[in-house]
mmCIF file of all heavy atoms in Angstrom:
data_model
loop_
_atom_site.group_PDB
_atom_site.id
_atom_site.type_symbol
_atom_site.label_atom_id
_atom_site.label_comp_id
_atom_site.label_asym_id
_atom_site.label_seq_id
_atom_site.Cartn_x
_atom_site.Cartn_y
_atom_site.Cartn_z
ATOM 1 N N SER A 10 9.937 10.566 24.541
ATOM 2 C CA SER A 10 10.189 11.588 23.526
ATOM 3 C C SER A 10 9.323 12.819 23.801
ATOM 4 O O SER A 10 8.427 12.814 24.638
ATOM 5 C CB SER A 10 9.908 11.041 22.132
ATOM 6 O OG SER A 10 8.543 10.788 21.982
ATOM 7 N N VAL A 11 9.568 13.853 23.059
ATOM 8 C CA VAL A 11 8.846 15.112 23.209
ATOM 9 C C VAL A 11 7.458 14.985 22.587
ATOM 10 O O VAL A 11 7.306 14.462 21.488
ATOM 11 C CB VAL A 11 9.629 16.251 22.525
ATOM 12 C CG1 VAL A 11 8.878 17.556 22.607
ATOM 13 C CG2 VAL A 11 11.017 16.374 23.140
ATOM 14 N N ALA A 12 6.453 15.458 23.294
ATOM 15 C CA ALA A 12 5.078 15.425 22.788
ATOM 16 C C ALA A 12 4.918 16.420 21.641
ATOM 17 O O ALA A 12 5.601 17.444 21.606
ATOM 18 C CB ALA A 12 4.101 15.763 23.901
ATOM 19 N N PRO A 13 4.015 16.134 20.700
ATOM 20 C CA PRO A 13 3.776 17.075 19.599
ATOM 21 C C PRO A 13 3.246 18.407 20.114
ATOM 22 O O PRO A 13 2.633 18.483 21.177
ATOM 23 C CB PRO A 13 2.705 16.380 18.749
ATOM 24 C CG PRO A 13 2.741 14.958 19.153
ATOM 25 C CD PRO A 13 3.214 14.931 20.560
ATOM 26 N N LYS A 14 3.481 19.464 19.364
ATOM 27 C CA LYS A 14 3.028 20.804 19.707
ATOM 28 C C LYS A 14 1.503 20.839 19.791
ATOM 29 O O LYS A 14 0.822 20.179 19.010
ATOM 30 C CB LYS A 14 3.511 21.782 18.637
ATOM 31 C CG LYS A 14 3.193 23.213 18.908
ATOM 32 C CD LYS A 14 3.757 24.107 17.818
ATOM 33 C CE LYS A 14 3.342 25.540 18.038
ATOM 34 N NZ LYS A 14 3.805 26.406 16.960
ATOM 35 N N THR A 15 0.965 21.600 20.731
ATOM 36 C CA THR A 15 -0.487 21.729 20.879
ATOM 37 C C THR A 15 -0.925 23.166 20.631
ATOM 38 O O THR A 15 -0.130 24.105 20.716
ATOM 39 C CB THR A 15 -0.948 21.309 22.285
ATOM 40 O OG1 THR A 15 -0.283 22.112 23.258
ATOM 41 C CG2 THR A 15 -0.662 19.846 22.551
ATOM 42 N N LEU A 16 -2.187 23.321 20.330
ATOM 43 C CA LEU A 16 -2.823 24.626 20.147
ATOM 44 C C LEU A 16 -3.922 24.763 21.184
ATOM 45 O O LEU A 16 -4.539 23.781 21.575
ATOM 46 C CB LEU A 16 -3.441 24.724 18.748
ATOM 47 C CG LEU A 16 -2.491 24.560 17.567
ATOM 48 C CD1 LEU A 16 -3.281 24.501 16.270
ATOM 49 C CD2 LEU A 16 -1.495 25.688 17.518
ATOM 50 N N GLY A 17 -4.213 25.965 21.613
ATOM 51 C CA GLY A 17 -5.289 26.188 22.570
ATOM 52 C C GLY A 17 -4.882 25.821 23.986
ATOM 53 O O GLY A 17 -3.780 25.349 24.235
ATOM 54 N N GLN A 18 -5.813 26.052 24.908
ATOM 55 C CA GLN A 18 -5.546 25.764 26.309
ATOM 56 C C GLN A 18 -6.743 25.082 26.937
ATOM 57 O O GLN A 18 -7.865 25.214 26.467
ATOM 58 C CB GLN A 18 -5.260 27.053 27.072
ATOM 59 C CG GLN A 18 -4.003 27.774 26.618
ATOM 60 C CD GLN A 18 -3.800 29.070 27.382
ATOM 61 O OE1 GLN A 18 -4.559 29.419 28.269
ATOM 62 N NE2 GLN A 18 -2.752 29.794 27.020
ATOM 63 N N GLY A 19 -6.497 24.366 28.009
ATOM 64 C CA GLY A 19 -7.567 23.722 28.762
ATOM 65 C C GLY A 19 -8.337 22.725 27.923
ATOM 66 O O GLY A 19 -7.754 21.927 27.202
ATOM 67 N N CYS A 20 -9.672 22.789 28.003
ATOM 68 C CA CYS A 20 -10.503 21.829 27.274
ATOM 69 C C CYS A 20 -10.469 22.064 25.765
ATOM 70 O O CYS A 20 -10.935 21.228 25.000
ATOM 71 C CB CYS A 20 -11.940 21.853 27.798
ATOM 72 S SG CYS A 20 -12.778 23.426 27.570
ATOM 73 N N LEU A 21 -9.911 23.188 25.321
ATOM 74 C CA LEU A 21 -9.803 23.465 23.883
ATOM 75 C C LEU A 21 -8.434 23.087 23.329
ATOM 76 O O LEU A 21 -8.146 23.322 22.164
ATOM 77 C CB LEU A 21 -10.072 24.942 23.611
ATOM 78 C CG LEU A 21 -11.462 25.445 23.989
ATOM 79 C CD1 LEU A 21 -11.578 26.937 23.735
ATOM 80 C CD2 LEU A 21 -12.528 24.686 23.236
ATOM 81 N N SER A 22 -7.589 22.497 24.166
ATOM 82 C CA SER A 22 -6.256 22.087 23.738
ATOM 83 C C SER A 22 -6.353 20.921 22.755
ATOM 84 O O SER A 22 -7.134 19.996 22.937
ATOM 85 C CB SER A 22 -5.428 21.671 24.951
ATOM 86 O OG SER A 22 -4.144 21.274 24.553
ATOM 87 N N ARG A 23 -5.555 20.992 21.693
ATOM 88 C CA ARG A 23 -5.543 19.930 20.690
ATOM 89 C C ARG A 23 -4.169 19.931 20.028
ATOM 90 O O ARG A 23 -3.459 20.930 20.049
ATOM 91 C CB ARG A 23 -6.629 20.125 19.644
ATOM 92 C CG ARG A 23 -6.414 21.360 18.774
ATOM 93 C CD ARG A 23 -7.666 22.189 18.643
ATOM 94 N NE ARG A 23 -7.471 23.388 17.868
ATOM 95 C CZ ARG A 23 -7.371 24.588 18.414
ATOM 96 N NH1 ARG A 23 -7.405 24.737 19.707
ATOM 97 N NH2 ARG A 23 -7.237 25.642 17.651
ATOM 98 N N TYR A 24 -3.807 18.789 19.450
ATOM 99 C CA TYR A 24 -2.528 18.704 18.761
ATOM 100 C C TYR A 24 -2.568 19.525 17.482
ATOM 101 O O TYR A 24 -3.585 19.578 16.788
ATOM 102 C CB TYR A 24 -2.173 17.255 18.420
ATOM 103 C CG TYR A 24 -1.824 16.436 19.634
ATOM 104 C CD1 TYR A 24 -2.596 15.352 20.006
ATOM 105 C CD2 TYR A 24 -0.722 16.751 20.413
ATOM 106 C CE1 TYR A 24 -2.268 14.600 21.131
ATOM 107 C CE2 TYR A 24 -0.393 16.013 21.534
ATOM 108 C CZ TYR A 24 -1.176 14.933 21.881
ATOM 109 O OH TYR A 24 -0.856 14.200 22.984
ATOM 110 N N ASP A 25 -1.459 20.167 17.160
ATOM 111 C CA ASP A 25 -1.324 20.928 15.918
ATOM 112 C C ASP A 25 -1.157 19.926 14.776
ATOM 113 O O ASP A 25 -0.135 19.244 14.678
ATOM 114 C CB ASP A 25 -0.126 21.852 16.012
ATOM 115 C CG ASP A 25 0.033 22.758 14.806
ATOM 116 O OD1 ASP A 25 -0.745 22.618 13.834
ATOM 117 O OD2 ASP A 25 0.939 23.609 14.832
ATOM 118 N N ILE A 26 -2.150 19.811 13.920
ATOM 119 C CA ILE A 26 -2.138 18.830 12.839
ATOM 120 C C ILE A 26 -0.940 19.018 11.920
ATOM 121 O O ILE A 26 -0.376 18.061 11.422
ATOM 122 C CB ILE A 26 -3.458 18.890 12.040
ATOM 123 C CG1 ILE A 26 -4.607 18.427 12.923
ATOM 124 C CG2 ILE A 26 -3.375 18.048 10.782
ATOM 125 C CD1 ILE A 26 -5.961 18.531 12.269
ATOM 126 N N ASP A 27 -0.525 20.255 11.716
ATOM 127 C CA ASP A 27 0.616 20.512 10.835
ATOM 128 C C ASP A 27 1.929 20.008 11.425
ATOM 129 O O ASP A 27 2.897 19.802 10.696
ATOM 130 C CB ASP A 27 0.736 22.005 10.530
ATOM 131 C CG ASP A 27 -0.436 22.514 9.710
ATOM 132 O OD1 ASP A 27 -0.994 21.724 8.923
ATOM 133 O OD2 ASP A 27 -0.795 23.702 9.857
ATOM 134 N N GLU A 28 1.984 19.807 12.727
ATOM 135 C CA GLU A 28 3.206 19.333 13.383
ATOM 136 C C GLU A 28 3.248 17.812 13.515
ATOM 137 O O GLU A 28 4.276 17.251 13.851
ATOM 138 C CB GLU A 28 3.329 19.956 14.776
ATOM 139 C CG GLU A 28 3.487 21.455 14.763
ATOM 140 C CD GLU A 28 4.819 21.904 14.176
ATOM 141 O OE1 GLU A 28 5.839 21.233 14.432
ATOM 142 O OE2 GLU A 28 4.838 22.909 13.456
ATOM 143 N N LEU A 29 2.124 17.112 13.282
ATOM 144 C CA LEU A 29 2.078 15.658 13.429
ATOM 145 C C LEU A 29 2.678 14.985 12.200
ATOM 146 O O LEU A 29 2.623 15.513 11.096
ATOM 147 C CB LEU A 29 0.635 15.189 13.621
ATOM 148 C CG LEU A 29 -0.054 15.680 14.890
ATOM 149 C CD1 LEU A 29 -1.508 15.217 14.900
ATOM 150 C CD2 LEU A 29 0.667 15.199 16.127
ATOM 151 N N SER A 30 3.231 13.808 12.418
ATOM 152 C CA SER A 30 3.825 13.049 11.317
ATOM 153 C C SER A 30 3.405 11.589 11.424
ATOM 154 O O SER A 30 2.743 11.191 12.380
ATOM 155 C CB SER A 30 5.353 13.156 11.384
ATOM 156 O OG SER A 30 5.837 12.478 12.529
ATOM 157 N N ALA A 31 3.828 10.805 10.464
ATOM 158 C CA ALA A 31 3.522 9.375 10.493
ATOM 159 C C ALA A 31 4.127 8.725 11.730
ATOM 160 O O ALA A 31 3.589 7.763 12.266
ATOM 161 C CB ALA A 31 4.040 8.710 9.232
ATOM 162 N N GLU A 32 5.237 9.261 12.208
ATOM 163 C CA GLU A 32 5.879 8.733 13.411
ATOM 164 C C GLU A 32 4.973 8.911 14.641
ATOM 165 O O GLU A 32 5.048 8.150 15.589
ATOM 166 C CB GLU A 32 7.210 9.437 13.635
ATOM 167 C CG GLU A 32 8.081 8.769 14.669
ATOM 168 C CD GLU A 32 9.453 9.385 14.700
ATOM 169 O OE1 GLU A 32 10.265 9.078 13.815
ATOM 170 O OE2 GLU A 32 9.691 10.187 15.612
ATOM 171 N N ASP A 33 4.119 9.929 14.625
ATOM 172 C CA ASP A 33 3.172 10.170 15.723
ATOM 173 C C ASP A 33 1.889 9.356 15.557
ATOM 174 O O ASP A 33 0.995 9.441 16.384
ATOM 175 C CB ASP A 33 2.798 11.655 15.782
ATOM 176 C CG ASP A 33 3.993 12.536 16.074
ATOM 177 O OD1 ASP A 33 4.740 12.210 17.006
ATOM 178 O OD2 ASP A 33 4.174 13.535 15.358
ATOM 179 N N GLY A 34 1.797 8.622 14.459
ATOM 180 C CA GLY A 34 0.591 7.840 14.201
ATOM 181 C C GLY A 34 -0.468 8.645 13.473
ATOM 182 O O GLY A 34 -1.636 8.301 13.479
ATOM 183 N N ALA A 35 -0.071 9.741 12.842
ATOM 184 C CA ALA A 35 -1.011 10.615 12.145
ATOM 185 C C ALA A 35 -0.884 10.428 10.644
ATOM 186 O O ALA A 35 0.146 10.726 10.069
ATOM 187 C CB ALA A 35 -0.740 12.069 12.502
ATOM 188 N N ASP A 36 -1.928 9.922 10.012
ATOM 189 C CA ASP A 36 -1.950 9.783 8.559
ATOM 190 C C ASP A 36 -3.319 10.249 8.093
ATOM 191 O O ASP A 36 -4.306 9.544 8.240
ATOM 192 C CB ASP A 36 -1.708 8.335 8.145
ATOM 193 C CG ASP A 36 -1.760 8.145 6.641
ATOM 194 O OD1 ASP A 36 -1.794 9.163 5.905
ATOM 195 O OD2 ASP A 36 -1.778 7.003 6.191
ATOM 196 N N PHE A 37 -3.366 11.472 7.595
ATOM 197 C CA PHE A 37 -4.631 12.062 7.180
ATOM 198 C C PHE A 37 -4.799 12.052 5.667
ATOM 199 O O PHE A 37 -5.602 12.793 5.124
ATOM 200 C CB PHE A 37 -4.732 13.505 7.701
ATOM 201 C CG PHE A 37 -4.633 13.597 9.187
ATOM 202 C CD1 PHE A 37 -3.488 14.081 9.798
ATOM 203 C CD2 PHE A 37 -5.679 13.186 9.984
ATOM 204 C CE1 PHE A 37 -3.392 14.156 11.170
ATOM 205 C CE2 PHE A 37 -5.599 13.260 11.367
ATOM 206 C CZ PHE A 37 -4.447 13.745 11.954
ATOM 207 N N SER A 38 -4.031 11.208 4.978
ATOM 208 C CA SER A 38 -4.019 11.223 3.520
ATOM 209 C C SER A 38 -5.379 10.878 2.907
ATOM 210 O O SER A 38 -5.695 11.321 1.810
ATOM 211 C CB SER A 38 -2.945 10.270 2.994
ATOM 212 O OG SER A 38 -3.235 8.945 3.395
ATOM 213 N N GLN A 39 -6.202 10.101 3.584
ATOM 214 C CA GLN A 39 -7.493 9.712 3.016
ATOM 215 C C GLN A 39 -8.672 10.396 3.709
ATOM 216 O O GLN A 39 -9.814 10.074 3.433
ATOM 217 C CB GLN A 39 -7.650 8.198 3.101
ATOM 218 C CG GLN A 39 -6.623 7.464 2.263
ATOM 219 C CD GLN A 39 -6.742 5.960 2.410
ATOM 220 O OE1 GLN A 39 -7.096 5.458 3.461
ATOM 221 N NE2 GLN A 39 -6.464 5.244 1.333
ATOM 222 N N ALA A 40 -8.399 11.360 4.571
ATOM 223 C CA ALA A 40 -9.460 12.020 5.327
ATOM 224 C C ALA A 40 -10.431 12.791 4.416
ATOM 225 O O ALA A 40 -11.647 12.741 4.611
ATOM 226 C CB ALA A 40 -8.870 12.967 6.364
ATOM 227 N N LYS A 41 -9.898 13.485 3.418
ATOM 228 C CA LYS A 41 -10.740 14.266 2.511
ATOM 229 C C LYS A 41 -11.692 13.355 1.728
ATOM 230 O O LYS A 41 -12.867 13.658 1.569
ATOM 231 C CB LYS A 41 -9.852 15.064 1.558
ATOM 232 C CG LYS A 41 -10.579 16.085 0.743
ATOM 233 C CD LYS A 41 -9.570 16.916 -0.050
ATOM 234 C CE LYS A 41 -10.241 17.996 -0.834
ATOM 235 N NZ LYS A 41 -9.275 18.808 -1.580
#
Side-chain angles (χ1 to χ4, degrees):
S10 67
V11 177
K14 184 178 176 183
T15 58
L16 301 173
Q18 296 178 2
C20 63
L21 298 177
S22 180
R23 66 227 178 256
Y24 290 117
D25 184 355
I26 293 176
D27 294 330
E28 296 292 322
L29 296 176
S30 68
E32 192 172 282
D33 297 312
D36 179 10
F37 301 106
S38 62
Q39 296 177 327
K41 190 174 183 179

